[in-house]
Amino acid sequence: MRLIQNMCTIAEYPAPGSAAAADCCLGAAGRRLVKIAVVGASGVGKTGHNLFFPLFIGNLYTRQVQIEGETLAIQVQDTPGIQVHENGLSCTEQLNRCIRWADAVVIVFSITDYKSYELTSQLHQHVQQLHLGTRLPVVVVANKADLLHIKQVDPQLGLQLASMLGCSFYEVSVSENDNDVYNAFHVLCKEVSHKQQPSGTPEKRRTSLIPRPKSPNMQDLKRRFKQALSAKVRTVTSV
Ligand SMILES: Nc1nc2c(ncn2[C@@H]2O[C@H](COP(=O)(O)OP(=O)(O)OP(=O)(O)O)[C@@H](O)[C@H]2O)c(=O)[nH]1
């Protein structure tokens, strides 16, 4: 992935569904915009991920990325660490708003924190519930891969979980290896980009498969028209 350093100016993310949100569907300079929320337990390294997005306003980070020859604008929203209570996840309205705003989600857990790993499937379920009817692209990221000596989660478990959830999986170390983090975002952007593509081409192909109604047979029409006309003439003559 080629990351471009010159950032466009962005506004704070608008409320989903607002007119501003609609304007925001295209990034600055008419670019398509990919909005990503990074979620996970507290202390797993979410903010570290966002540091790859050098321009930020409040909790919103941005940069541009080249995907298949097109320059897309990515916006990444940092979210507060999620707390787990006895009766499940405790998600603030702010977090839920952010998940609804997003086109894709990165779920981060730390290999040094088993509880953060356990949270992943609940979080995935929560994300999909907030986007009922569409399958939101999600990537699972196991962070702090440099801390193998104090690991509580075997990265293999992360891989198994991600494939069970139908997500891509990346094991990364925010503090040691930028490339893996880039790759995780790249895969997600590509997936969103494909989802956002106007369905023109496949749609067109589909319509061309629908049989066109047969054009009326002109000879037959003329014959029927003549018949109707002569019947009328006959009726008028007999009167
Ligand atoms: N060794 C190591 N430390 C990391 C890594 N990623 C983050 N950290 C450290 O983990 C701590 C927490 O990182 P943050 O990015 O603040 O975590 P967060 O998920 O944003 O935490 P909250 O803001 O509480 O939700 C910091 O001290 C980071 O320096 C990593 O890959 N390796």
Side-chain angles (χ1 to χ4, degrees):
M1 177 171 64
R2 188 157 73 86
L3 291 153
I4 300 168
Q5 297 300 324
N6 296 326
M7 294 301 108
C8 52
T9 314
I10 51 157
E12 186 65 68
Y13 80 93
S18 68
D23 289 348
C24 223
C25 281
L26 290 178
R31 287 197 179 96
R32 285 200 290 145
L33 180 65
V34 176
K35 295 169 290 178
I36 300 175
V38 180
V39 301
S42 191
V44 294
K46 297 184 298 297
T47 309
H49 280 74
N50 297 335
L51 296 179
F52 292 100
F53 294 78
L55 187 95
F56 57 94
I57 301 171
N59 288 333
L60 193 63
Y61 298 73
T62 191
R63 80 180 309 154
Q64 291 174 30
V65 61
Q66 290 266 329
I67 305 259
E68 294 167 342
E70 183 186 355
T71 305
L72 302 180
I74 316 180
Q75 285 183 351
V76 175
Q77 179 78 18
D78 194 6
T79 62
I82 290 159
Q83 311 293 323
V84 188
H85 294 297
E86 283 159 14
N87 42 359
L89 286 184
S90 164
C91 296
T92 60
E93 190 41 43
Q94 183 196 353
L95 175 69
N96 289 343
R97 234 192 349 257
C98 178
I99 294 172
R100 282 194 207 96
W101 161 88
D103 299 313
V105 168
V106 177
I107 302 179
V108 186
F109 73 86
S110 163
I111 66 159
T112 63
D113 176 359
Y114 193 79
K115 282 203 169 115
S116 71
Y117 161 76
E118 283 185 319
L119 200 64
T120 304
S121 53
Q122 291 178 62
L123 256 175
H124 182 267
Q125 196 182 356
H126 184 67
V127 164
Q128 300 301 346
Q129 271 168 0
L130 290 179
H131 283 267
L132 268 187
T134 53
R135 192 163 170 78
L136 203 77
V138 175
V139 161
V140 175
V141 169
N143 190 34
K144 307 199 185 182
D146 57 301
L147 298 179
L148 275 177
H149 53 289
I150 50 166
K151 76 169 184 206
Q152 291 183 3
V153 186
D154 195 312
Q156 197 59 29
L157 281 180
L159 178 63
Q160 281 168 8
L161 178 64
S163 56
M164 200 181 80
L165 299 173
C167 306
S168 307
F169 174 74
Y170 285 86
E171 189 189 344
V172 308
S173 166
V174 161
S175 43
E176 286 198 345
N177 190 344
D178 308 5
N179 275 340
D180 294 335
V181 181
Y182 290 164
N183 287 341
F185 279 101
H186 185 245
V187 161
L188 206 50
C189 288
K190 209 165 159 184
E191 208 178 321
V192 174
S193 163
H194 287 176
K195 253 187 108 183
Q196 283 180 347
Q197 288 291 353
S199 51
T201 324
E203 207 51 47
K204 261 185 206 154
R205 234 180 269 134
R206 210 179 307 141
T207 28
S208 69
L209 292 177
I210 298 170
R212 283 199 299 154
K214 279 186 187 161
S215 62
N217 180 333
M218 289 311 287
Q219 292 300 329
D220 192 40
L221 272 181
K222 270 187 200 164
R223 187 177 47 76
R224 277 197 267 161
F225 180 66
K226 269 187 192 163
Q227 271 177 2
L229 205 65
S230 61
K232 205 165 186 181
V233 171
R234 245 181 278 128
T235 326
V236 173
T237 327
S238 61
V239 170

